[in-house]
Amino acid sequence: MLKVAGPSQILVITGLGIKDILLSQKKWVFPGQKCIKVDISPVNYTFDVQAMSAEKLPFVLPAVFTIGPRVGDDDSLLKYAKLVSAHDKLSNHVKELVMGVIEGETRVLAASMTMEEIFKGTKQFKQEVFDKVQLELDQFGLHIYNANVKQLVDVPGYEYFSYLGQKTQMEAANQAKIDVSEAKMKGAIGAKEREGLTLQNAAKIDAESKIMSTRRQGEGNKEEIRVKTEVQIYKNQRDAEVEQANAELATKKAVWSQSAKMAQVEADKAVSLREATLQMEVEKKNALTRTEKLRAQDLSKANVDYDIQVQEANAELYKKQKAAEAILFEQQKSAEAQRASADADLYARQRAAEADLYSKMKEAEGMAAVAEAQGFYLGNLLKQVGGNYSALRDYLMIHGGTFKDIAKLNAEAVRGLQPKINIWTGANGNGVGDGVSSGGSGCGGAMKEIAGLYGMLPPLLETVNDQTGMLPPTWLATLPSDSSKA
């Protein structure tokens, strides 16, 4: 059968011999194929999108979008035919789809802009919303043919644009006052030029200005009183309406409660009567079923016992199988863990041995380099001193501070000793032991040695007394006292 689509329609054909779907304006449809006509004309969608600016100020953005499938693009028409054509274009499904995309993109864009940027850059804001919404609609094969963003509207409770209008009015009023002040300034300048005539005109202008100011102030006060009076009257009316509504509600609640209680009583009686009738029938049926129940109990019990035993046997077999599988799995995992641990330990030892060997090799190379440098240094020094080893030794000791350390150790050794030196002389003034003559040769020489030994005892005993405070025994010698020494 030949199918032909209208000017604003397209045929969507699926079925036998078609891999996916086929789009055409006219086509022969064979048995086993299905063909539907899809309207591709654009549709107007009107939305009031609620969004919030970067200052967290909510506003309403009235918008009208003309949206439809992209004509001439086969990929877009395929997407539209698959995803959207099953629904009516005016249905809530399609409208909610389009509205969700528009609201999401509009809110994200508005959240990144201030209210002033949105208000002043309405054209740019509209274009960005248009571009971002078009990107999202491309995946459904839809195209925005026209987008009309109306004037921003305040959300109830947030009169930003109303206050902005009042601000503009106040700025215009203030500008008018500034213009009046400038006119007064020019008049004052003209007054100085024209003298008497200017003074008269200035006085007249001042009087008129005061009268006008007083009149405007009175009108402003009068308008304020009128507005306050109207607000109070409206508030009183609202309070009266609320009280009246509450009274009507209480009356209706009482009537409804009475009707509900009566219906409940009637329902309870009917239920009791019905229960008595049903109870009689139940007693009759019970008498007939007791015999069958007793007869079926024995058979049911036997069947149940058999099923229980079978289930218990199956459960026991299943538990044993799972336990064996768990033990086998645990042993396998344990073997794998031990193997992995052994491999890791072997690898760690190999790396440690390699690191130790490398460190020792580098240490040996360093020691060899130091020894070689020291040998070269000592060879050059020995060559400079002409092969004199004593001069080389003295230079090394001086350069290494050896003599300085020896002098320091000697100074530390004798520090605090405070030695006392006594000089003893013999009878002839030539030294200790000189009091013995040297007349004889052999005997005289021996006596001289003995005399010298005895001559050394007094200074030795005095030195021991000075250092330790000990006195020699009286049978050996007696030291002189301090008074006798003096």
Side-chain angles (χ1 to χ4, degrees), residues 267-340:
D268 292 340
K269 295 299 182 181
V271 168
S272 299
L273 181 60
R274 183 60 178 170
E275 285 181 352
T277 304
L278 293 176
Q279 186 65 31
M280 292 175 63
E281 295 180 358
V282 167
E283 292 296 335
K284 292 179 181 179
K285 295 294 183 181
N286 287 338
L288 296 174
T289 56
R290 283 173 187 170
T291 303
E292 296 294 333
K293 182 179 181 182
L294 294 175
R295 186 182 300 167
Q297 282 180 352
D298 295 336
L299 180 60
S300 299
K301 184 177 181 182
N303 292 332
V304 168
D305 292 340
Y306 174 76
D307 292 338
I308 291 174
Q309 292 176 0
V310 171
Q311 293 294 331
E312 289 178 351
N314 292 335
E316 187 66 24
L317 177 60
Y318 180 76
K319 288 181 180 178
K320 291 181 179 180
Q321 289 177 350
K322 289 300 179 182
E325 291 176 357
I327 294 172
L328 177 60
F329 181 76
E330 183 178 359
Q331 292 176 354
Q332 290 177 352
K333 289 299 180 182
S334 177
E336 291 176 359
Q338 292 177 359
R339 185 183 303 167

Side-chain angles (χ1 to χ4, degrees), residues 64-94:
V64 179
F65 285 79
T66 303
I67 300 174
R70 190 188 299 272
V71 179
D73 188 351
D74 293 337
D75 292 338
S76 298
L77 290 175
L78 284 173
K79 293 178 182 179
Y80 177 78
K82 290 181 179 180
L83 303 176
V84 184
S85 64
H87 303 278
D88 186 7
K89 292 187 294 184
L90 299 177
S91 65
N92 291 331
H93 176 78
V94 178

Side-chain angles (χ1 to χ4, degrees), residues 9-276:
Q9 294 178 338
I10 192 170
L11 296 178
V12 179
I13 307 171
T14 60
L16 184 64
I18 299 174
K19 184 177 180 180
D20 189 4
I21 62 175
L22 179 63
L23 303 177
S24 178
Q25 288 293 117
K26 58 181 179 178
K27 191 71 175 179
W28 285 94
V29 179
F30 300 98
Q33 295 180 349
K34 184 177 180 180
C35 175
I36 61 172
K37 293 181 180 180
V38 177
D39 188 5
I40 59 174
S41 58
V43 179
N44 291 330
Y45 296 95
T46 303
F47 306 105
D48 289 332
V49 181
Q50 291 190 0
M52 185 175 291
S53 65
E55 306 101 323
K56 297 181 177 58
L57 293 175
F59 63 91
V60 177
L61 179 68
V64 179
F65 285 79
T66 303
I67 300 174
R70 190 188 299 272
V71 179
D73 188 351
D74 293 337
D75 292 338
S76 298
L77 290 175
L78 284 173
K79 293 178 182 179
Y80 177 78
K82 290 181 179 180
L83 303 176
V84 184
S85 64
H87 303 278
D88 186 7
K89 292 187 294 184
L90 299 177
S91 65
N92 291 331
H93 176 78
V94 178
K95 187 174 182 180
E96 289 174 359
L97 174 65
V98 176
M99 186 174 182
V101 173
I102 295 173
E103 284 186 345
E105 297 301 329
T106 303
R107 288 171 180 168
V108 170
L109 182 60
S112 63
M113 300 175 66
T114 62
M115 187 66 79
E116 193 70 18
E117 293 173 350
I118 296 172
F119 189 77
K120 289 184 177 181
T122 304
K123 184 177 180 180
Q124 180 182 359
F125 179 75
K126 170 188 172 182
Q127 186 62 38
E128 291 186 8
V129 170
F130 182 91
D131 295 340
K132 292 182 179 298
V133 172
Q134 183 60 63
L135 287 176
E136 293 296 327
L137 292 179
D138 285 339
Q139 59 186 340
F140 299 102
L142 295 174
H143 176 68
I144 301 176
Y145 289 93
N146 183 35
N148 182 18
V149 178
K150 300 180 181 179
Q151 194 67 29
L152 302 180
V153 180
D154 283 326
V155 176
Y158 296 88
E159 290 78 19
Y160 174 80
F161 297 107
S162 299
Y163 293 151
L164 194 62
Q166 294 177 8
K167 176 185 175 183
T168 305
Q169 293 178 0
M170 293 300 296
E171 290 177 351
N174 293 333
Q175 185 63 39
K177 292 179 181 179
I178 293 172
D179 295 340
V180 171
S181 299
E182 290 180 354
K184 290 180 180 180
M185 180 184 66
K186 293 179 180 179
I189 293 172
K192 289 182 180 180
E193 293 176 352
R194 297 184 181 183
E195 296 178 345
L197 179 61
T198 306
L199 290 174
Q200 294 178 3
N201 292 333
K204 182 178 179 181
I205 291 173
D206 288 338
E208 291 178 353
S209 299
K210 290 180 180 180
I211 294 172
M212 183 62 67
S213 177
T214 304
R215 183 182 301 170
R216 289 183 178 179
Q217 185 176 2
E219 291 177 354
N221 294 334
K222 181 179 179 181
E223 183 66 20
E224 183 179 0
I225 294 171
R226 185 182 65 80
V227 172
K228 289 183 178 179
T229 304
E230 291 179 354
V231 169
Q232 187 63 36
I233 292 172
Y234 179 75
K235 184 177 180 181
N236 294 336
Q237 290 177 352
R238 295 296 298 170
D239 292 341
E241 292 176 357
V242 170
E243 292 296 333
Q244 183 179 358
N246 290 334
E248 293 178 356
L249 179 60
T251 302
K252 291 182 179 180
K253 282 184 177 180
V255 175
W256 293 338
S257 178
Q258 181 180 1
S259 301
K261 289 179 179 180
M262 292 176 64
Q264 185 65 36
V265 171
E266 292 178 355
D268 292 340
K269 295 299 182 181
V271 168
S272 299
L273 181 60
R274 183 60 178 170
E275 285 181 352

Side-chain angles (χ1 to χ4, degrees), residues 423-439:
I423 300 174
W424 289 74
T425 61
N428 57 3
N430 293 327
V432 176
D434 287 346
V436 180
S437 68
S438 57

